[in-house]
Amino acid sequence: MLKKRILEIDESAGHVYGPAKITAVLKDTGVPVCEETVRDLMRELGLQNVRYGAKRLHEKEELQHAKNHLNQNFSTDRPNAVWVGDVTYYRLKGKEYYICVIMYLFSRKVIAHKIGMRNNTHLTKATFLIAVQNRQPAPGLIFHSDQGTSYRSYTFQKCLAGYQVIQSLSRPHTPRDNAPMESFFASLKKEKLYRIQYRSPREFYDSVDAYMNWYNISRPHQNLHYKTPDAIEEEYYAGAADQKL
């Protein structure tokens, strides 16, 4: 009888009452019962006060509906307007190492990278936070990636939202939607990783770090009219300084 009354009260209240309020309603109708008993019975009935989880569920739904804001348009007119990110792996002595990289499209400069033993949200979020620390982006930045689970996770999407970053996702099974990162990883492997027999993980880590520096400082880029990412960035800021004068 008590379970039936609890169900009736829960239904009539639109599923927003917790144990305390349902207990109060029961007592008002002449049913002597303690709150702990009501809480236990609600748990048995599978009833949950939706008020406390409503905001989180709403935010989660909103975050999951990210769009493809680039649509294969990889040109931008300033630094830190659009970042792109991705993860690749390299097998060394029977173990897989995951390399997470973020570059910004304006000069194809690598602004953050991190290597981990697992391809998970911790790796993608940590790499993103390195990029934030290095570049201090203004609100409205677009961050584009594929639809990997670590990029679609609630934790990662909430992190982006915390910095007022707009998430952009590639369409499923469409590598060309993130072509700059696909091209970068192909270069990394052909120009560095596949040319060396690494003797230790430390040697591998140092080699990746060295490539990132070389890529930014010394490697001419075809899409940049054979200038380096750092050179393009320096030209931009030099021009901006001249305009202020």
Side-chain angles (χ1 to χ4, degrees), residues 194-214:
Y194 292 158
R195 299 178 63 226
I196 300 175
Q197 294 295 322
Y198 295 108
R199 293 167 295 183
S200 67
R202 182 72 269 163
E203 190 176 40
F204 163 66
Y205 277 61
D206 290 344
S207 179
V208 172
D209 289 344
Y211 182 86
M212 301 301 177
N213 289 329
W214 174 78

Side-chain angles (χ1 to χ4, degrees), residues 35-228:
E35 183 178 334
E36 187 173 347
T37 298
V38 172
R39 181 179 289 106
D40 290 342
L41 292 175
M42 288 180 68
R43 189 179 296 114
E44 290 179 17
L45 291 167
L47 300 180
Q48 183 179 8
N49 179 0
V50 300
R51 288 183 57 188
Y52 301 107
K55 182 178 180 181
R56 180 179 174 86
L57 289 172
H58 173 72
E59 290 177 343
K60 190 172 183 179
E61 285 295 317
E62 287 297 304
L63 289 172
Q64 286 180 342
H65 290 89
K67 300 177 182 179
N68 185 344
H69 292 276
L70 300 189
N71 292 313
Q72 298 187 13
N73 178 12
F74 304 120
S75 298
T76 64
D77 60 359
R78 68 186 190 281
N80 297 315
V82 181
W83 293 357
V84 292
D86 201 358
V87 180
T88 192
Y89 75 93
Y90 178 77
R91 186 174 287 108
L92 174 63
K93 298 185 183 300
K95 296 182 179 179
E96 291 183 349
Y97 294 81
Y98 294 91
I99 309 169
C100 184
V101 175
I102 296 175
M103 67 166 57
Y104 71 63
L105 287 182
F106 177 72
S107 71
R108 301 300 201 269
K109 181 172 181 172
V110 174
I111 57 175
H113 72 280
K114 188 174 179 62
I115 301 174
M117 298 298 294
R118 295 182 179 179
N119 183 11
N120 55 19
T121 302
H122 175 76
L123 177 63
T124 53
K125 181 180 176 181
T127 309
F128 175 78
L129 292 177
I130 292 171
V132 168
Q133 183 176 14
N134 289 341
R135 307 303 299 191
Q136 299 294 313
L141 163 74
I142 294 175
F143 180 84
H144 183 83
S145 70
D146 62 20
Q147 293 203 27
T149 55
S150 60
Y151 289 115
R152 289 187 293 107
S153 71
Y154 176 74
T155 298
F156 185 78
Q157 292 182 319
K158 188 176 181 181
C159 178
L160 294 185
Y163 287 97
Q164 300 181 58
V165 173
I166 301 168
Q167 187 175 38
S168 174
L169 294 175
S170 299
R171 292 166 295 179
H173 314 298
T174 312
R176 289 181 61 84
D177 279 356
N178 203 10
M181 287 307 310
E182 296 287 335
S183 176
F184 172 80
F185 282 137
S187 298
L188 169 64
K189 292 177 179 179
K190 289 186 293 185
E191 296 173 355
K192 176 62 74 170
L193 301 186
Y194 292 158
R195 299 178 63 226
I196 300 175
Q197 294 295 322
Y198 295 108
R199 293 167 295 183
S200 67
R202 182 72 269 163
E203 190 176 40
F204 163 66
Y205 277 61
D206 290 344
S207 179
V208 172
D209 289 344
Y211 182 86
M212 301 301 177
N213 289 329
W214 174 78
Y215 183 90
N216 286 336
I217 298 170
S218 303
R219 184 185 184 277
H221 199 293
Q222 182 177 358
N223 287 344
L224 303 177
H225 304 290
Y226 294 99
K227 295 181 180 180
T228 67

